[in-house]
Amino acid sequence: MCRILTSLNAVAETCAAEGEMLWEKALDGSDSYALCYAPSVRAGALGPSSGHLQCDRGSYFMVEAPKFCCRHPRIQVAGQSVPARGEVCGDLLAQYDAEQQQIKLARGPTTTGSDEQLADLNASATGDATPSQIAFHAMGDAGKWRPSAITTCSGKAGALITWLNGDTPNRAEFCPTGTTPVQGPGYASWQCDGMYSEDSLLHCCKVKGRLRCVNHIREQAPGSQCNCKGLGVNEESSADTVTSCAWPAFVALQLGGDLFAGWPTDLRGSL
């Protein structure tokens, strides 16, 4: 990462090339957001905007779109175990209680955005990073136990199911959308040796009416702007997102503690 020497005692870091969201808590208690791209610096750039793209007021929102993947996926075909040729992942995570033979949706996409903001996001060029409306709809039943015999797996990509009390450690399966979980007519799941997740976060806002999204957010300390010219220096940095007790709740949850406990989500209609 490139750092810019702004004084004898201070070094200002450049923003990431792919961009990052800067958040600042104003003295009046309001939240202010701006986008920053290299070679602009997080603090210390010249000019009234400090090289940042100021977000339109009230336009910021966050979207989480995790993937839940099967370890060593394989499926039975004509009595033979056939391994998958690539990654097998769903956009929903469910838990199965073998003793009670019931299932519940545990995790999926979340957002702080409105329907209008999500519609703008779906129309943008963010690709697979954008959660599906099917998965959002399924999250409406999150946390509710249902008999597995009358359940159909949902989500755009399907559901990864883990066993709470199975006879095999780390037992899991990937259940394609529209099929029956665990067993029974319509069963077509991939067997897994456990699972892993791939998290994806988007921080979005509009700049002069145009939607922009980045993957990372950082705190911008109030009054940290410095109008001074400096000398460019190449230096590797391992600095990561800075936490603050004043951060919005969803950002604080992202950075520490239980990522999903108490997350202020918009959970939209079944597994």
Side-chain angles (χ1 to χ4, degrees), residues 151-164:
T151 298
T152 300
C153 291
S154 186
K156 180 181 180 181
L160 197 291
I161 302 172
T162 60
W163 264 247
L164 292 180

Side-chain angles (χ1 to χ4, degrees), residues 1 3 13 20-25 33 42-43 203 215-222 224 237-256:
M1 176 176 290
R3 291 184 173 184
E13 294 181 338
E20 54 193 54
M21 187 76 69
L22 301 179
W23 169 81
E24 179 179 339
K25 175 69 73 173
Y33 299 91
R42 298 188 184 104
H203 300 276
N215 294 116
H216 303 288
I217 189 169
R218 289 177 178 266
E219 179 183 14
Q220 180 77 347
S224 62
S237 171
S238 60
D240 203 351
T241 307
V242 180
T243 60
S244 169
C245 61
W247 279 48
F250 53 86
V251 177
L253 286 168
Q254 172 195 343
L255 299 172

Side-chain angles (χ1 to χ4, degrees), residues 33-160:
Y33 299 91
L35 290 163
C36 181
Y37 299 84
S40 294
V41 297
R42 298 188 184 104
L46 291 170
S49 69
S50 298
H52 303 158
L53 300 175
Q54 191 66 38
C55 294
D56 299 346
R57 183 177 292 273
S59 68
Y60 170 82
F61 66 100
M62 178 278 301
V63 173
E64 181 202 20
K67 291 168 57 178
F68 309 100
C69 304
C70 183
R71 290 193 186 277
H72 310 132
R74 58 202 179 275
I75 193 169
Q76 293 292 319
V77 178
Q80 299 292 321
S81 180
V82 180
R85 295 182 177 179
E87 203 174 44
V88 175
C89 302
D91 51 354
L92 296 173
L93 178 65
Q95 294 177 328
Y96 174 65
D97 185 337
E99 295 179 354
Q100 301 296 323
Q101 295 189 1
Q102 56 185 4
I103 195 169
K104 71 175 179 179
L105 190 60
R107 196 182 154 201
T110 59
T111 185
T112 60
S114 65
D115 289 338
E116 181 181 355
Q117 287 173 319
L118 291 178
D120 288 341
L121 182 62
N122 287 328
S124 67
T126 54
D128 292 340
T130 305
S132 73
Q133 292 299 316
I134 298 173
F136 271 129
H137 178 76
M139 286 297 292
D141 284 336
K144 300 176 182 178
W145 288 105
R146 300 178 61 188
S148 58
I150 61 171
T151 298
T152 300
C153 291
S154 186
K156 180 181 180 181
L160 197 291

Side-chain angles (χ1 to χ4, degrees), residues 160-223:
L160 197 291
I161 302 172
T162 60
W163 264 247
L164 292 180
N165 44 23
D167 52 3
T168 303
N170 300 319
R171 184 174 179 181
E173 70 175 49
F174 169 74
C175 183
T177 299
T179 65
T180 302
V182 184
Q183 62 183 0
Y187 178 76
S189 292
W190 292 76
Q191 299 305 306
C192 315
D193 296 328
M195 56 83 65
Y196 62 95
S197 62
E198 297 179 357
D199 294 327
S200 174
L201 283 168
L202 286 178
H203 300 276
C204 305
C205 75
K206 284 188 174 182
V207 177
K208 296 182 178 179
R210 179 185 175 188
L211 184 66
R212 294 173 178 260
C213 296
V214 294
N215 294 116
H216 303 288
I217 189 169
R218 289 177 178 266
E219 179 183 14
Q220 180 77 347

